[in-house]
Amino acid sequence: MNKPLRRVAVFCGLLVIALLVRVNWIQFVEADELRNHEDNRRVAIERYAHPRGNIIVGDKAITGSAETSGSDFRYKRTYKDGPLWAPVTGYASQAFGANQLEALNDGILTGNDDRLFFNRTIDMITGKDKKGGNVVTTLDANVQKAAFEGLGDRKGAVAAIDPETGAILGLASSPSYDPSSFAGNSDKDSENWVALNKDKDKPMLNRALRETYPPGSTFKVVTAAAALESGEYDMDEPTGAPETYKLPLSTNTLGNEVKNVCEDATLREALQWSCNSVYAMISDKVGNEGMIEMSEKFGFGNSELDTPVRAAESIYPEMDRPQNAMGGIGQASNRATPLQMAMVASAVANDGELMKPYMVEKLVAPNLNDIEVTQPQTLSEPLSGENAQKMQQMMETVVNEGTGSNARIDGATVGGKTGTAQHGIDNRDLPYAWFISYAKDPDSDKQIAVAVVVEDASANRDDISGGGVAAPIAKSVMEAGLGR
Amino acid sequence: MSSSHTSTISSVAAPSRRNTELAMLVFAVLIPVFAYVNVGLAKEDTVPAGVLGYAAGLGCLAAVAHLVVRKFAPYSDPLLLPIATLLNGLGLVLIWRLDQEPSLTTPALGGPMAPGQLMWSAVGVGLFVVVLLFLKDHRVLQRYTYISMAAALILLIMPMVPGLGANVNGARIWIRIPGLGSLQPGEFAKIVIAVFFAGYLMVKRDALALASRRFMGLYLPRGRDLGPILVIWGLSLMILVFETDLGTSLLFFGLFVIMLYVATERTSWIVFGLLLSALGAVSVASFNSHIGDRVDNWLNPLARSPVNDGVTETAQAMYSFGSGGLFGSGLGQGFSRLIGGIATKSDYILATVGEELGLTGLMAIVVLYGLLIERGMRTALAARDPFGKLLAVGLSGAFALQCFVVAGGVTALIPLTGMTMPFLAQGGSSVIANWALIAILLRISDTARRPAPAPAPSPDAEMTQVVRT
């Protein structure tokens, strides 16, 4: 009986070995996948088991952590001035996950990032509780406040950039929301979350980065740049445009808001009085391909513009001739985010060099060592330096003597462009009021480029113009940026 | 390793190894006691108040068991008792640790389980002592072959009796005894049926092995010899269908095939066994939704439950193992409570081991089971009588199958079945029955390794003595 006995012993040994192989497979080979599986609640428990690192503006944290009880999650996120900063921070909720900076820098904020391994090990050895690192943003609290307060109760957004580096100084969206209101996982948090998601004003939409609008007349800056770069036009030479422009291959005509100044106007005069006829004609002359090329140099058509929060793609699409002519004055299928239009102004202000916008200055470890510092990067050079200076003169004329006079700041150089974008079928809906501008302070060398959009700005459409509604907001944002 | 000391009859005494056993028992008691302190420090930052009582309790059980073995089974295998003690002690710690989770210790789930388990362990060691005291020679059990069969049948059918049986978690393997609580008769049936098989096969082995016709290269036994096998196959299928207990039916059928193979030395029995079990498993899996669900769960362990879109227990167990990783989170610092339900302390206790002790700890536990099984096999090899051999291989084979089926099920190596991990898992019947099983194995190994009585001095020897000058 010993021979079959030995075989049975071997068989039982094989069963044990099969178990050993299996546990090695799941606990070693598959462990990472299982550990980080989205259904594994330990991921969320661990995320909220320690105070989270903070998002910092200037020297002050705009986030915090509060201890909670009664659930698996020990700490919950708190926000100071939540609605003001929500477009920057995004949210981190025990029940509803995280987005934007909170999600993108989760590893640093929770302390789980590989680059914090050394810190974690030291803390483990010295018996300290695990701590998260901080995210230091490029934002300027005064700029942000000016933008948010400027928007007030109106729907809209503001994006402000430092033209020299691309650092984002302000990013406001209205109406906004308080991420604290659903940071926990109580019934109240859940109600708030549902209400916010149902709200038809979409308070959780980050309008500055994630919403595209027809840019209206502010896009004429791009068309003017295309005209200058083509070499066919110069700033102070007559363009030969008619007072009323008949769209090519169409019976529709295009008139101007300000009468009797646009016929045969120069580029500068046409920008000063926002002449539709001149820029529609130029857009047609440059052609759809040329317009696409120029707008892409300014950042249109970039589907991976990460600040690191990804901005929605702005598009100047392929269009037929009449549509392309309309596209040149910011209508038709031309769409841009407020950030994109701020980039246009910043490229002009920065002598033709477009810097990549970013909002995270650096990531720091709990012991305040820098882990990663963002270096400014050039995205493209849409304009030659010479043409950029001409564009600056033109945009400064708009503010000093044209439709943008509401943005004038004493003692500073301000260039801008107004815009009123029609939208809705047969333009039935209220138009969007736009204003893009830059300001330079010759004394302090400070610079700022701003784009403002206000939706449904006023009930009276005839009075609506970017100069009336959006320019004052841009003015206060620029003043804050220049430190005035 | 030389087997001359253990498997051949010799009048030279093999070393009894009782002191080795004692030294290892010290570890088997100390390790769980340290684990107990560890849980307390992890959960409450203090040494738990119950540690002295726990250490004393486990130490007493080990000491009593050791003294009885030293006195009544002095030549028995020195590894079986320490391994069983260590597993039982660790099981108690793990159950106590899970008792600390409020969500697992609600009155609806029966409250804390560790005190009850300690009491059942004491009863188990008591039965261990009784077996060693009264079972002087395992061959006595041969007399009870057919009584064992009847007893096994009664034990297996009990849960199906209306009013006595209870349906727990979709499996009908429990009986309720008023005032005493629930009992899993299958655990005891495992031992009784091994006794019956050993007795029956010892008598019939020649008939089964030799009186057969050759058919397609296989030896087909005569119908009257084959009968009991078909009866067992039918019975295990019935357990599967009526008690929906895949594990127990697999256990009994596997046990019988192994013992038949060892008794007859005919490979054809294995082929028959595999064919019949495959046939049974496939047909039941396709008709029975409970078993079918388990197969689905096994094939897609991480899929969400089709019923409520929740995370299934199988998936939760997988996450436990994955989160444990190589070294585990440390005792008391895992989240086994997420597995939830009533099986965390019994069927799923290995998931807690995996999460809190890591791959290292889980492998150590598996190796301990492997060692226990192979010591049982070694006892079978060493046994001098066929009944002892068959009984030892049956008991350790059943133990091995049970360990494999539970551990394989929890780690999703095979479909999950509701059985308890011997010694480790919470469950009174299981711990008592397994202590009895260890006692019988110890008795067989004691008989096997006991030196033959010295030959009586033969008068002839005197006469042929060489006379030296």
Side-chain angles (χ1 to χ4, degrees):
Chain A
M1 274 198 268
N2 280 356
K3 198 167 134 201
L5 249 175
R6 284 180 209 279
R7 285 191 184 145
V8 170
V10 168
F11 170 73
C12 290
L14 288 177
L15 291 185
V16 172
I17 287 170
L19 287 177
L20 289 175
V21 170
R22 176 62 183 172
V23 296
N24 272 280
W25 181 258
I26 51 177
Q27 292 210 265
F28 183 69
V29 181
E30 283 188 330
D32 275 335
E33 190 192 323
L34 291 169
R35 186 182 298 132
N36 301 315
H37 196 281
E38 56 176 357
D39 281 345
N40 190 345
R41 198 171 161 81
R42 289 167 188 79
V43 176
I45 293 176
E46 167 61 22
R47 172 171 296 135
Y48 296 104
H50 313 279
R52 202 170 160 81
N54 283 318
I55 297 175
I56 291 174
V57 171
D59 290 330
K60 288 191 189 126
I62 52 171
T63 57
S65 286
E67 202 160 347
T68 55
S69 59
S71 81
D72 284 344
F73 306 129
R74 214 166 129 207
Y75 289 93
K76 87 171 182 181
R77 196 54 148 168
T78 58
Y79 296 87
K80 289 163 198 154
D81 286 329
L84 174 66
W85 294 109
V88 179
T89 57
Y91 56 80
S93 162
Q94 292 177 347
F96 307 106
N99 77 351
Q100 300 191 18
L101 282 192
E102 291 274 29
L104 291 167
N105 292 301
D106 193 59
I108 293 291
L109 292 167
T110 55
N112 287 335
D113 193 284
D114 286 343
R115 290 170 288 184
L116 295 175
F117 178 78
F118 187 67
N119 283 282
R120 272 203 305 274
T121 314
I122 296 285
D123 282 354
M124 199 167 76
I125 292 168
T126 55
K128 276 191 218 149
D129 200 11
K130 190 164 125 191
K131 268 193 279 179
N134 293 335
V135 175
V136 179
T137 67
T138 59
L139 280 106
D140 178 325
N142 293 328
V143 170
Q144 183 75 2
K145 265 179 212 146
F148 191 64
E149 282 162 15
L151 287 168
D153 296 336
R154 293 168 292 191
K155 269 193 253 176
V158 176
I161 306 177
D162 179 345
E164 223 172 336
T165 59
I168 294 177
L169 301 172
L171 205 64
S173 175
S174 172
S176 191
Y177 66 102
D178 186 357
S180 300
S181 66
F182 56 89
N185 67 349
S186 68
D187 291 347
K188 185 77 190 145
D189 293 296
S190 182
E191 277 167 34
N192 290 337
W193 168 260
V194 171
L196 281 171
N197 275 294
K198 274 191 186 157
D199 194 328
K200 63 177 178 7
D201 286 340
K202 297 193 211 159
M204 284 168 68
L205 173 65
N206 185 347
R207 290 174 160 82
L209 284 185
R210 305 286 315 158
E211 178 73 314
T212 59
Y213 300 90
S217 302
T218 57
F219 191 78
K220 286 170 186 164
V221 173
V222 177
T223 312
L228 288 175
E229 285 285 296
S230 73
E232 310 265 321
Y233 300 89
D234 205 352
M235 162 169 76
D236 288 320
E237 280 172 19
T239 53
E243 172 75 22
T244 304
Y245 180 68
K246 190 174 88 63
L247 289 174
L249 312 175
S250 164
T251 54
N252 290 348
T253 55
L254 207 54
N256 299 308
E257 198 75 9
V258 185
K259 306 296 173 196
N260 303 322
V261 287
C262 292
E263 187 168 2
D264 202 20
T266 63
L267 286 180
R268 189 204 289 259
E269 289 163 342
L271 201 69
Q272 182 180 352
W273 303 115
S274 199
C275 293
N276 292 335
S277 57
V278 175
Y279 284 103
M281 183 195 77
I282 289 173
S283 179
D284 186 51
K285 292 258 171 70
V286 172
N288 190 227
E289 247 177 70
M291 289 303 291
I292 292 177
E293 197 182 320
M294 194 63 206
S295 59
E296 284 182 353
K297 282 187 188 166
F298 275 106
F300 282 71
N302 186 344
S303 61
E304 293 178 1
L305 192 62
D306 296 330
T307 68
V309 177
R310 181 164 291 182
E313 182 182 2
S314 302
I315 30 173
Y316 190 98
E318 279 182 35
M319 293 185 274
D320 58 19
R321 268 186 77 191
Q323 291 287 307
N324 179 55
M326 292 293 286
I329 59 165
Q331 298 291 341
S333 306
N334 187 349
R335 315 276 299 179
T337 60
L339 177 75
Q340 172 60 59
M341 293 318 290
M343 285 161 67
V344 169
S346 82
V348 170
N350 197 35
D351 293 338
E353 188 178 3
L354 175 61
M355 304 303 289
K356 182 174 187 277
Y358 65 96
M359 63 167 121
V360 173
E361 188 186 318
K362 58 185 179 180
L363 305 175
V364 295
N367 63 6
L368 304 181
N369 283 346
D370 291 353
I371 296 169
E372 186 184 310
V373 178
T374 312
Q375 299 297 335
Q377 279 174 23
T378 305
L379 200 62
S380 64
E381 285 191 53
L383 283 168
S384 67
E386 195 190 342
N387 284 336
Q389 307 223 332
K390 287 179 185 167
M391 280 305 309
Q392 288 173 19
Q393 289 186 37
M394 288 162 65
M395 286 176 74
E396 281 155 26
T397 307
V398 172
V399 172
N400 293 331
E401 299 160 29
T403 54
S405 55
N406 279 342
R408 243 179 266 161
I409 301 172
D410 288 338
T413 314
V414 180
K417 180 71 195 84
T418 56
T420 310
Q422 298 162 339
H423 88 295
I425 301 157
D426 294 335
N427 307 328
R428 218 171 285 149
D429 296 329
L430 289 168
Y432 300 122
W434 274 94
F435 193 76
I436 66 169
S437 62
Y438 63 84
K440 299 180 182 185
D441 191 331
D443 300 335
S444 65
D445 264 358
K446 282 187 176 171
Q447 298 188 20
I448 181 169
V450 181
V452 176
V453 63
V454 179
E455 301 176 25
D456 303 345
S458 154
N460 188 344
R461 71 176 53 231
D462 293 335
D463 284 354
I464 291 170
S465 71
V469 175
I473 302 176
K475 183 187 172 184
S476 63
V477 170
M478 289 189 291
E479 280 176 335
L482 298 181
R484 284 166 181 253
Chain B
M1 191 199 294
S2 157
S3 61
S4 60
H5 284 303
T6 50
S7 60
T8 52
I9 303 167
S10 156
S11 60
V12 179
S16 76
R17 301 276 186 226
R18 289 280 71 79
N19 292 332
T20 315
E21 181 184 85
L22 181 62
M24 281 190 297
L25 267 177
V26 171
F27 282 107
V29 172
L30 279 183
I31 292 170
V33 169
F34 282 135
Y36 191 92
V37 172
N38 187 348
V39 174
L41 287 175
K43 298 294 280 185
E44 310 286 342
D45 279 335
T46 52
V47 176
V51 69
L52 280 180
Y54 174 77
L58 193 63
C60 271
L61 291 183
V64 167
H66 173 72
L67 288 176
V68 170
V69 169
R70 195 173 267 269
K71 179 90 178 85
F72 294 98
Y75 293 97
S76 58
D77 191 291
L79 274 178
L80 292 172
L81 180 61
I83 294 176
T85 309
L86 178 56
L87 289 172
N88 197 351
L90 283 177
L92 281 165
V93 171
L94 288 167
I95 294 163
W96 181 73
R97 176 261 168 278
L98 288 170
D99 280 347
Q100 308 305 304
E101 300 289 347
S103 64
L104 296 177
T105 318
T106 58
L109 292 177
M113 300 282 193
Q117 183 73 1
L118 186 59
M119 195 261 289
W120 290 122
S121 304
V123 174
V125 173
L127 188 59
F128 172 90
V129 169
V130 167
V131 169
L132 284 183
L133 280 181
F134 290 97
L135 189 68
K136 295 281 184 224
D137 189 334
H138 62 269
R139 279 165 291 197
V140 173
L141 292 173
Q142 254 174 287
R143 292 183 206 151
Y144 305 109
T145 300
Y146 290 95
I147 294 177
S148 301
M149 183 180 77
L153 283 176
I154 291 168
L155 283 171
L156 282 178
I157 290 165
M158 260 155 80
M160 284 185 270
V161 176
L164 196 59
N167 215 335
V168 179
N169 260 10
R172 204 177 169 85
I173 52 177
W174 296 82
I175 55 165
R176 280 202 207 291
I177 302 170
L180 256 179
S182 308
L183 210 69
Q184 227 174 328
E187 291 283 350
F188 297 99
K190 175 175 75 181
I191 298 174
V192 181
I193 216 163
V195 172
F196 158 60
F197 285 165
Y200 177 79
L201 290 172
M202 206 195 65
V203 178
K204 295 277 184 177
R205 53 191 286 234
D206 289 337
L208 284 165
L210 302 173
S212 55
R213 291 160 301 199
R214 246 180 108 83
F215 178 72
M216 287 175 69
L218 293 173
Y219 290 97
L220 279 181
R222 293 180 304 192
R224 60 180 161 184
D225 300 321
L226 194 63
I229 296 151
L230 291 176
V231 167
I232 290 296
W233 178 68
L235 196 68
S236 59
L237 269 188
M238 271 166 59
I239 297 171
L240 192 56
V241 172
F242 292 109
E243 301 182 8
T244 50
D245 187 4
L246 187 67
T248 310
S249 55
L250 199 90
L251 179 67
F252 290 131
F253 196 65
L255 170 65
F256 192 49
V257 171
I258 287 177
M259 291 179 75
L260 205 50
Y261 170 63
V262 172
T264 61
E265 309 196 13
R266 290 256 183 240
T267 321
S268 51
W269 288 112
I270 303 271
V271 179
F272 277 132
L274 288 178
L275 281 177
L276 286 177
S277 56
L279 191 71
V282 168
S283 57
V284 168
S286 43
F287 288 121
N288 186 306
S289 66
H290 180 74
I291 308 254
D293 286 350
R294 295 218 162 152
V295 173
D296 282 345
N297 247 336
W298 166 60
L299 293 174
N300 304 299
L302 297 187
R304 283 173 155 259
S305 156
V307 184
N308 58 5
D309 194 36
V311 182
T312 58
E313 286 185 356
T314 315
Q316 290 285 18
M318 295 298 279
Y319 299 144
S320 287
F321 285 119
S323 301
L326 280 183
F327 300 108
S329 59
L331 273 172
Q333 297 174 57
F335 294 95
S336 333
R337 64 164 183 271
L338 296 175
I339 298 170
I342 63 162
T344 320
K345 295 170 191 171
S346 49
D347 298 21
Y348 279 108
I349 199 143
L350 273 186
T352 304
V353 175
E355 180 172 7
E356 304 201 339
L357 298 176
L359 176 60
T360 344
L362 187 55
M363 291 219 297
I365 298 266
V366 172
V367 168
L368 281 178
Y369 280 109
L371 265 176
L372 195 62
I373 293 159
E374 295 300 339
R375 289 316 290 185
M377 292 294 166
R378 180 148 193 86
T379 300
L381 275 172
R384 296 165 197 163
D385 61 306
F387 177 77
K389 273 185 188 298
L390 283 172
L391 186 54
V393 76
L395 292 178
S396 34
F399 196 88
L401 283 176
Q402 183 163 0
C403 293
F404 178 74
V405 165
V406 184
V410 173
T411 56
L413 178 61
I414 56 170
L416 184 77
T417 57
M419 269 208 287
T420 52
M421 204 67 198
F423 293 116
L424 210 57
Q426 184 266 325
S429 355
S430 170
V431 75
I432 296 172
N434 283 308
W435 272 115
L437 188 150
I438 294 292
I440 298 173
L441 280 179
L442 280 177
R443 170 55 67 221
I444 299 173
S445 78
D446 176 53
T447 316
R449 293 176 74 237
R450 188 189 296 273
S458 157
D460 295 345
E462 296 275 327
M463 292 154 80
T464 55
Q465 202 168 22
V466 177
V467 179
R468 291 193 198 105
T469 52

